[in-house]
Structures are given as structure tokens and as C-alpha cells.
Amino acid sequence: MSNLSVLFKETFQNVLNISGDLNDYPVNFCTSEFDDDYTFILFPWLKKLNTKPEILGTQLGDYLISKNYIKSFSVVKGFFNFSLPDSYWISNNANLFNSDFNFSLEIHSKQQKYLIEYCSPNTNKPLHLGHIRNILLGWSLSKILKALGHQVETTQVVNDRGIAICKSMLAWKKFSNGITPEIANIKPDHFVGDYYVLFEIKFKEEYLQWQQSEIANEVYSKLKKPDESKSEFFVRFKNEYFNQYSLLGKEARTILISWEANDPEVIQLWKKLNNWVYQGFEETFRLLNISFDHYYYESQTYLLGKDIVHDGLMNNILYKESDNSVWIDLENVGLDKKIILRSDGTSVYITQDLGTARMRFQNHRADKTIYIVADEQDYHFKVLFETLKKLKEPYADGLYHCSYGMVDLPTGKMKSREGTVVDADDLIHEVISEARHTAEERGEITALPLEEQEVIFSKIGFAALKYFILKVAPKKRMIFDPKESVDMQGHTGPYIVNAYVRIKSILRKANCKNSNVIPDYVDRSEKNLLRQLLDYPKILQESARTYDPSHLANYLYFVAKDYHKYYHDFRILKAESDNLIEWRLMLSENILKVLEHGMDCLGIQMPDRM
């Protein structure tokens, strides 16, 4: 609606000899309780001009009508409500999109280069429902930013080293008897994940046994808090036990130290398990129809991180404790003191994150780097960004953490260490199965070849999964319900797909091709649809500005909802005249283009039938 803002800016200049910034003249849709199309708020101008709303509104309205810019107006308190001539809507429907579907997106004057990091899994377990939300956010943001003309590259940082990976390695080494995913007939990333869960089971058994020992009683007596029971103490002491007393913990740490020392046997075992996981990841990425431009591995960046730590020590930005661990003091920026390197010289997460950040800037020179990471890591990224600022890294101000809430199921919270996580692959298959069941009940595509039916089931299933997750603002925690996600009448992806498919069917049946479309009148329902279409560029820009695809997702739902109602209330192929048929076909086709482009920006492919 910036063209209407321009209109009011020019009107103020011509009528009142007042100039201002375009943002001073916002125009909004008129609410449904009024018959007008748009509203302009007069309140900010009344005090400046020392006038009343009726006087100012009449001055503006009389001028705009005299120029045939509007056809009517009303002043309601401090609101200037107005309607536009039918010619405005007719021309916009005809010229809304060019043949390349450019939208006139009002591309930012300064296009920027973005690097978006998303997914970034650990190689000790398969991708799960939380990863799906991460992946869909990252992929959708990359497509939205590209649609607005920005240069975008995607990347992930594979967490392929560290104590968690060593747990899987140790469990496979001790308990597998050399079995492989092929022999076990298990998807390879699931196979490795099973050994991570097995390590936690064995560790829990070891810890329970230790709690019965004399040394455990001594530790409890010495370190317990006042009035703390044994059971409460042992819950709190679990991590300390792993680091100080656990035999399994000691073995896992030995593997980590040997890995950092480049021990050939450990490296060979590490590569074997990681390669299994990578095979499984790629299968899941293909299912989700996403990809990455660049891969980074923590095993390749942690040494650069250590170099940065060394430089920070030399410049007195970092400091050593008596046990040789390295820290940074961030108390002056409202944070805490944070360990950067362990006392034994091994890396912590932030060590490799420092190295990764510098390496990526050297390789890509992005204006902005977006990290798509769950809100459990909010503090970590505050520390990382402030540490990079203190280290005077030139790219530090261009980093942004796109934080998102966790995803639960109707049955409750997932726990990866206990093996209760919903694997991404299982969830994908479940949603497609739900889509298949719903489609078979409707029976509308049963005449199609089975292979074509399966393609449609897959597209509907992914529309259900992706839309249900992306319609929720990232910062909100959410519950994903597979059955609810495929509801054809709900706030779902399939509901939007149904509007798209309905228009496709109409256009296939259409044979009226009158190029000179001038309807006798434009109905309010049609104006509402056109107003929504004209708002599409602003919605894309808002999603990009806030790094939040839910603005786009919810917009598409309301477009589909209004079109469903329009289809129910108005005849399209059997309208009263050829002109009216062509007008409504043109409007329908523009709705189709927005739904298709918008859903594509959410990473959703649309079927032609359902």
C-alpha cells in the first residue's frame, strides 16, 4: 500500500503545503464494520495543524475526489475512511503481476548477502522433530530472502566431535560385537543413535550401583546442601559423577583426548560411525527436499578456535585459571564468566564456534550470518557474540541468533538420552500416511495411477508437516499433532492446498478468453481478495525483517479462507457475462500465483490434484 501512502504525501503537499517522510502517511485496510476500502489515521496531524478531524478530513477528501483518486470518503472520529474507484481494482487485477511474476516487490535499495546456518546436527543420533523445525525455519527464511532479491547461501555446522560423539563410539566399541547397519538392517543414523541411547542406559546402571557404595556416602556427606536428601543430591551430582568417578565417563574422555591427539585407531572408529550417520542424514534431507550450499565440520574448525583463544590470551582479553583452563569475563555486559578451553586443553562448544565464525567470514564475507538454533542455546549465543566483539572480530555485529522454541508431541516432551525422541523419518512417514488415509477417504484421486497418487500423498503430507510447524512464531514452544496437521477444514497446509487445487481445476475447465475485461462492478469480497494480494510484498518483507515465516504462513491461510468463501458465494465459470467470467478467472489466477509462490517460500510444493 505504499502507493496510497505516496498519494497522501502528495495530497498533504498540494493541499496543506506540508512535506514529510513516506512513513508519516500509513494507510491501512478498513475494518469490516465499515463499507470503505482503506483508512488513513488523522490523529497525529490534528495537534500539529490545530484543527478538527472533520475539517482536515473534508479538506483531504474533497481534493482527492476532485482528482478522481477516490470515489467516496467518511470521517469517523479521527479516521479518514475512503473507497477507491472500481477502475483501481480492475487495473490492479489485470496488472498485479507481470509474466515473470515479479510482484513489484519493492526490493531493498541495499541488497545484502546472508549466510544462514541451520540443522547443524550431532553425529551421535538421527535427526528428530526438533531438527525438523530448525530445518524448515532455515530453508524457508533462505527462500523468503531470495524472493526479496538478497544473495543467500545456506550452511550447516556438523557437530562431529566432542564427548557426546565419543559416547556413541565407546558404546559401539564395547557392546556391538562389530555389527553394522547393513547387517542389522537399520537406517545408519538410527543405528548409531541406538548406541548413544545404550551408553546412557549403561551409564545409568553404573551410577545407580555407585550410589550404594561407601565412597558415594562420603561424597554425599561432604557435598550435600542443607536438608538435601540422597535422592535429590544424586540427581544434582550426575554430571560431577560422570567427570570424576564414572568408569564409562573416563573411557569416553580418554577417547576424546586420543581423538584430539589424532590417534589412528580412534580416528578410524570416528570416521566409520560418522560416515554411517551422514548416509542417514542425506536420506532425510532428500525426503524434506532441502539442501545446503556449504558444509562445515567442528572437527575442522576447533583448531582455529584454539588459535583465536591463544591470541585472546596474548592480548589479555582472555585469562587462565590456576588449573590452566581459559576463561572470558563478560560481567560488564550483563553476562558471566565463561570457560573457553578446558584445563586439559580440549575444546568446549564455544571454542569451535569461535573458529567456525571466523572461517565462514573469511570464506563468504556475508553481511549477516543467521544462526537457527533452539532457545536452549540463547545464553550460549549471547556469550559467543559478546566474546567475538571483545576479540574485535570485524563481523561480530552482523551475527544474529534466530531462536526457536522446542517442539512437543501431544504425549509430552521428547528426551534423546532416553530414546523417546520422535525421529524425523518416522514423523515424515506418519504424516504422509495420515495424508494417504484422508485422501483415500475422500476418494477423489483413486482413478489416478498408483505412482501418481503416491506423489500427491507425499506433497499433501509435507504441506501438512511444514505448514503446521511454520505457522507458529519461532519463539513459541509448540505441540505438533500429526492428525490435526492434515485436517482439510482446519488451519493447515492441506486447507491451503485445497484452495490452490480448486483454482487449478477451475482454470482447466475455463475456455473464456476475453482480453478486455471490464466488469460492471467490483464486489466487496473481490476487493478484499485484491487488497490481500496487494499486501503480499509487505508480508514477505515483514517475514524477512523479523526472521519469522509465520507471518507469511498465516497470511496464506487467510487468503485461502477468503477464496474458499468467495468460491462458495459467487459463480465463476457460470457468471452472468463473459466479462465477469474472465474477471473472476483473472482474480482466481492471481490468487493461485500468490498461494503457489508463498507456499514455495515455505518450502512446500503444491500438487495439481488432491
Side-chain angles (χ1 to χ4, degrees), residues 84-125:
L84 297 166
D86 284 354
S87 59
Y88 171 86
W89 303 107
I90 294 167
S91 63
N92 268 303
N93 191 29
N95 303 316
L96 195 55
F97 309 116
N98 64 26
S99 58
D100 296 325
F101 198 38
N102 192 340
F103 299 107
S104 299
L105 280 177
E106 302 173 20
I107 302 298
H108 295 289
S109 57
K110 181 185 178 184
Q111 296 178 359
Q112 294 185 300
K113 182 175 182 180
Y114 285 84
L115 183 66
I116 300 180
E117 175 202 305
Y118 68 98
C119 188
S120 300
N122 297 327
T123 57
N124 63 317
K125 52 192 174 185

Side-chain angles (χ1 to χ4, degrees), residues 27 35 45 70 139 230 232 240 245 311 356 377 394 419 489 503 507 522 542 580 593:
V27 178
D35 291 331
W45 298 98
I70 66 174
W139 186 242
K230 271 192 175 183
E232 292 171 334
E240 289 299 317
Y245 299 97
D311 293 342
T356 302
Q377 298 296 321
Q489 301 303 319
I503 298 172
L507 295 177
V522 181
E542 182 65 9
L580 197 54
K593 290 178 179 178

